Amino acid sequence: MAKIGITELILRDAHQSLFATRMRTEDMLPILDKMDRVGYWAVEMWGGATFDVPIRYLNQDPWDRLRSIKKAMPRTKLMMLLRAQNIVAYRNFPDDLVEKFVYYAHKNGIDVFRIFDALNDFRNMEVPMRSVKKTGAHCQASISYTISPVHTEQYFIDKMLKLQEMGTDSICIKDMAGMISPKRAYDIIKGYKEVGGKCPVELHAHSISGMTGMAYQRAAEAGVSVVDCDISPFSEGTGHPATESVVYAFKGTEWDTGLDMELLMELRDYFRTVFDKYRHLMRIEALRTDPSIVMHQIPGGMMSNLVSQLEMQKAKDRLDAVLKEVPKVRQELGYPPLVTPTSQVVGVQAVMNVLFGRYKNIPTETKDYVRGMYGLSPAPISDEIKELILGPDWRSQMVTGRPADSLKPEWEMRRRELLEMGLLRKEEDVLTYAIYPQIGLKFLKGEVIPEFTSESLPLPIEHKATRAFVRSFFPEVQDIYLSEKDPAQMVNDAIAAMPTQRSACFDGPQKLKVEIKGNTYDVTVYPPGTEGGMDIVRSPEQAVKRPPQGSGTVRKAETTSSAKGEKVMCPMQGTIYKVLVKEGDRVRKGQPLLVLEAMKMENEINSTRDGTVERILVGVGQEVGSGSVLAIIS
Ligand code: CO
């Protein structure tokens, strides 16, 4: 009997795909005893965003979650997704941190480490794999699946043989965008087995294309060992095939999973109530089947990022142009699979190319990618593109070895820092801090305020998150939910809808009259960099002071008219991330003055001429719009 195993994803990928990874530990614990009796091959419960989100938004310790799940599920193997040298974040970490992370993850309960690299550059997987083998845990190396002229069946089969040679215990075909067809699934798995492939193969595919159930069937026929599923309330769409459906479909066949349908029904009932509690996070797009993925290869998460980035830049009408630009950029960058972090690099570069001209604006992350700091691109990048992105001296900037080779050990340093701050309560905290220095520190200091707690769910209808949820289904009801209690928010929204007014006010305070639902508000909007923010007076009564966004301090209003010189304008909406020069500094044309964080990427803002920095009009953390004056150079 070629029984098939099931990996249940409800505690990680299911709610990461459908509910922004927000499920709290206390909503998992009550059902774990039953889950432990199902007989899953493994339960995936950690990794990916389940590290970042709990410390950032839930005020929950991911290490505590791991320990309490392990305690409640002693019989079931727990799986985590490890982003290879990126651990559970978005940049390469030094080897000592990778080793320590794997050691402590295993010590606290992880039995199966699924390791992947976005580019299938296995040099990034060597140290994580070796670290896992050292702990004695199960090492499951993955190949990131995508469609492109270089990603042929032979490409994947060769990659799988390579992983086998590297000593992996099993292999995962990771189809994060949900576009593997039944034929491809069959041909790759069968092809691998026919050329001497010995490792058990697990198929992880998201449901978006609508073909995934069929792909699981064909994978079974080709000899797959395990398939990945979500218990039904959190299944399909950007999630994965439903556990109960797959179990029932294989019932009575040679691939029978042997799992107990009655028990699965109890899990289903439980997670239906959880789904209802977290209703405010539901987005209809997350549940829609969308076969267009196989044509443009843009995963759902990336698509919604593109839309929100264009909205932020007030350029939503350019979406079609961006969707045409994405495949061009992807080809020029050597066909990276569109998964974190390369999806972000390709997506934002495509947006920039459409808004500002092709490769006129290039974020640091694109340059790093082209330099080889993420790993080798699947297809080579042409010298022409390298020169366009890195400049004429591109050859000297290329990273030739393993990307992490140039990184210095960090564990001792981070541990000492934490000790000196009096925040070292357990060794695992060093990793929380080292991987997420800013938010990790805030969390360890106890300064994170949870978005919601389990007891407060479901959120009441007037809560802003519930209102956003309702609006996503019924855009026309917007006004009904705009509470009279917060006129500042209403006025802010109204002004945001008046871009011309907003951009006109950068040389001095601007007075506006805003009418909302019969009430007139007198609003004074101050230029960014002076007072920022705005005064709102509801005529004729009460005044509401709205603090400037970002900086949190209110400075005295002043205009910039006294400063003579050339204005350095902000090209797009974003947040000031770094200020690199001081007033009075001599600068050269093209020298970076500031770093603007836009669309989660760093963009250098350069001086437009040789001269002296006369004024800097913005501070770190300040939000700025397209057309804001950032600095004046005389
Ligand atoms: Co996934």
Side-chain angles (χ1 to χ4, degrees):
M1 280 289 256
K3 272 193 157 196
I4 279 188
I6 302 278
T7 291
E8 174 62 60
L9 307 171
I10 181 65
L11 303 182
R12 202 282 295 179
D13 206 353
H15 71 110
Q16 179 169 334
S17 298
L18 297 177
F19 278 66
T21 333
R22 293 299 201 276
M23 201 192 295
R24 296 182 60 91
T25 309
E26 58 268 32
D27 286 317
M28 303 175 179
L29 297 177
I31 197 69
L32 297 181
D33 171 53
K34 278 192 182 132
M35 282 181 74
D36 198 30
R37 285 186 276 128
V38 170
Y40 291 120
W41 186 78
V43 167
E44 188 203 37
M45 46 63 64
W46 224 48
T50 62
F51 209 90
D52 184 356
V53 169
I55 59 171
R56 196 180 294 272
Y57 301 114
L58 308 180
N59 193 30
Q60 292 198 310
D61 191 331
W63 297 98
D64 287 347
R65 179 183 294 178
L66 171 56
R67 268 192 297 273
S68 43
I69 294 180
K70 185 69 192 175
K71 197 163 160 234
M73 299 184 74
R75 283 174 291 195
T76 307
K77 289 201 288 283
L78 299 186
M79 177 191 282
M80 83 160 288
L81 180 68
L82 187 68
R83 293 173 178 156
Q85 209 72 30
N86 294 354
I87 309 183
V88 284
Y90 308 96
R91 69 171 179 95
N92 278 318
F93 289 96
D95 294 342
D96 68 329
L97 284 185
V98 175
E99 280 162 24
K100 288 281 188 189
F101 185 90
V102 169
Y103 172 80
Y104 282 109
H106 174 65
K107 185 166 179 243
N108 284 288
I110 295 295
D111 304 289
V112 181
F113 287 83
R114 174 177 289 172
I115 306 167
F116 83 100
D117 176 70
L119 294 169
N120 291 320
D121 184 342
F122 296 157
R123 294 173 308 166
N124 291 332
M125 286 165 56
E126 282 165 13
V127 172
M129 285 176 72
R130 216 182 305 139
S131 310
V132 170
K133 299 294 271 186
K134 210 154 79 184
T135 65
H138 182 106
C139 173
Q140 184 176 83
S142 308
I143 49 169
S144 299
Y145 180 80
T146 188
I147 304 174
S148 91
V150 291
H151 291 92
T152 58
E153 271 135 38
Q154 198 54 52
Y155 167 96
F156 290 117
I157 293 165
D158 291 345
K159 289 279 177 189
M160 290 164 86
L161 289 171
K162 175 74 190 158
L163 291 176
Q164 178 174 320
E165 196 187 303
M166 286 167 74
T168 190
D169 296 311
S170 63
I171 294 173
C172 173
I173 300 174
K174 187 172 151 55
D175 175 24
M176 55 278 160
M179 51 195 176
I180 199 163
S181 69
K183 176 176 167 28
R184 289 278 270 178
Y186 182 89
D187 289 350
I188 292 169
I189 297 167
K190 193 80 182 166
Y192 166 69
K193 300 270 173 188
E194 278 174 2
V195 292
K198 297 214 171 22
C199 294
V201 177
E202 177 157 353
L203 180 56
H204 173 92
H206 289 248
S207 292
I208 312 137
S209 69
M211 302 183 289
T212 312
M214 292 161 78
Y216 280 12
Q217 169 66 34
R218 290 293 280 157
E221 290 162 21
V224 83
S225 297
V226 184
V227 291
D228 287 14
C229 302
D230 307 324
I231 195 80
S232 59
F234 284 71
S235 68
E236 303 298 342
T238 53
H240 317 76
T243 308
E244 307 94 295
S245 315
V246 171
V247 166
Y248 196 82
F250 285 135
K251 224 176 175 46
T253 71
E254 59 185 292
W255 308 288
D256 200 324
T257 64
L259 302 194
D260 179 352
M261 280 297 282
E262 297 290 340
L263 204 46
L264 290 175
M265 286 297 123
E266 292 182 41
L267 300 190
R268 165 188 175 273
D269 293 347
Y270 175 79
F271 281 107
R272 280 197 160 198
T273 64
V274 175
F275 185 99
D276 291 342
K277 281 178 79 173
Y278 288 78
R279 64 183 183 183
H280 67 281
L281 292 162
M282 196 60 240
R283 292 293 174 270
I284 195 150
E285 295 77 17
L287 279 180
R288 266 187 189 139
T289 298
D290 186 4
S292 73
I293 179 79
V294 299
M295 305 305 289
H296 54 58
Q297 283 115 49
I298 298 172
M302 181 177 170
M303 184 68 91
S304 56
N305 275 343
L306 291 175
V307 171
S308 72
Q309 283 154 1
L310 286 169
E311 265 169 6
M312 242 186 316
Q313 306 301 334
K314 307 219 183 321
K316 211 180 161 185
D317 55 322
R318 309 298 297 279
L319 182 62
D320 277 349
V322 169
L323 294 184
K324 285 202 182 79
E325 180 67 14
V326 166
K328 273 193 221 161
V329 173
R330 184 168 176 241
Q331 181 195 356
E332 285 157 351
L333 298 185
Y335 294 110
L338 296 179
V339 59
T340 309
T342 44
S343 52
Q344 181 72 2
V345 170
V346 171
V348 172
Q349 193 60 59
V351 169
M352 303 248 176
N353 286 0
V354 166
L355 295 184
F356 309 110
R358 303 205 81 227
Y359 300 108
K360 288 282 187 287
N361 244 303
I362 303 168
T364 310
E365 287 82 351
T366 308
K367 292 179 186 168
D368 286 348
Y369 169 83
V370 174
R371 283 182 192 121
M373 285 172 71
Y374 293 81
L376 273 182
S377 53
I381 302 171
S382 73
D383 291 357
E384 211 181 326
I385 292 290
K386 284 179 188 157
E387 185 167 341
L388 198 57
I389 289 173
L390 299 176
D393 66 335
W394 64 267
R395 275 171 218 277
S396 65
Q397 300 177 39
M398 300 304 287
V399 176
T400 45
R402 191 180 64 111
D405 280 340
S406 56
L407 303 173
K408 288 192 189 67
E410 268 183 43
W411 170 267
E412 289 303 333
M413 178 187 78
R414 292 301 193 186
R415 192 176 183 284
R416 204 168 44 239
E417 285 170 2
L418 215 49
L419 201 60
E420 279 162 13
M421 287 185 277
L423 291 171
L424 184 66
R425 282 177 291 264
K426 57 180 187 294
E427 294 300 302
E428 290 84 345
D429 293 344
V430 179
L431 293 157
T432 307
Y433 169 54
I435 296 168
Y436 286 103
Q438 280 157 12
I439 190 67
L441 198 58
K442 197 173 164 192
F443 171 76
L444 293 170
K445 283 181 180 166
E447 290 170 0
V448 171
I449 297 161
E451 279 181 340
F452 51 80
T453 58
S454 184
E455 300 83 65
S456 66
L457 296 177
L459 296 176
I461 193 73
E462 63 275 11
H463 192 279
K464 67 180 196 306
T466 321
R467 294 199 322 238
F469 158 75
V470 172
R471 273 205 298 272
S472 79
F473 287 94
F474 308 104
E476 68 275 21
V477 301
Q478 186 153 341
D479 283 347
I480 298 174
Y481 294 101
L482 273 178
S483 158
E484 274 292 332
K485 283 179 218 143
D486 186 9
Q489 186 58 48
M490 283 193 286
V491 173
N492 206 29
D493 291 350
I495 291 173
M498 299 191 295
T500 47
Q501 302 280 25
R502 203 170 197 176
S503 58
C505 77
F506 289 108
D507 281 330
Q510 167 113 351
K511 290 195 181 303
L512 302 172
K513 275 202 189 306
V514 180
E515 204 178 295
I516 299 164
K517 296 166 93 177
N519 292 314
T520 308
Y521 297 87
D522 287 316
V523 181
T524 310
V525 186
Y526 294 98
T530 57
E531 174 143 351
M534 56 184 81
D535 280 333
I536 299 162
V537 182
R538 177 163 159 184
S539 320
E541 319 103 83
Q542 82 272 35
V544 184
K545 185 82 187 168
R546 184 156 179 81
Q549 292 176 312
S551 74
T553 54
V554 176
R555 280 195 280 157
K556 220 175 153 44
E558 52 180 331
T559 63
T560 60
S561 55
S562 59
K564 297 267 177 286
E566 195 162 304
K567 291 172 184 163
V568 178
M569 312 284 267
C570 183
M572 59 196 136
Q573 207 267 342
T575 308
I576 300 298
Y577 183 62
K578 277 181 199 160
V579 177
L580 304 168
V581 292
K582 309 185 294 298
E583 291 181 355
D585 281 1
R586 299 281 304 164
V587 290
R588 285 166 294 103
K589 185 178 175 184
Q591 180 179 335
L593 304 174
L594 306 128
V595 180
L596 173 74
E597 192 191 275
M599 309 179 223
K600 294 188 194 155
M601 311 274 262
E602 294 174 23
N603 300 273
E604 288 174 346
I605 307 291
N606 300 330
S607 180
T608 45
R609 54 179 281 183
D610 291 343
T612 305
V613 179
E614 187 71 33
R615 299 288 306 276
I616 295 172
L617 297 159
V618 289
V620 170
Q622 187 171 340
E623 286 187 25
V624 287
S626 165
S628 309
V629 182
L630 303 175
I632 294 177
I633 309 293
S634 63

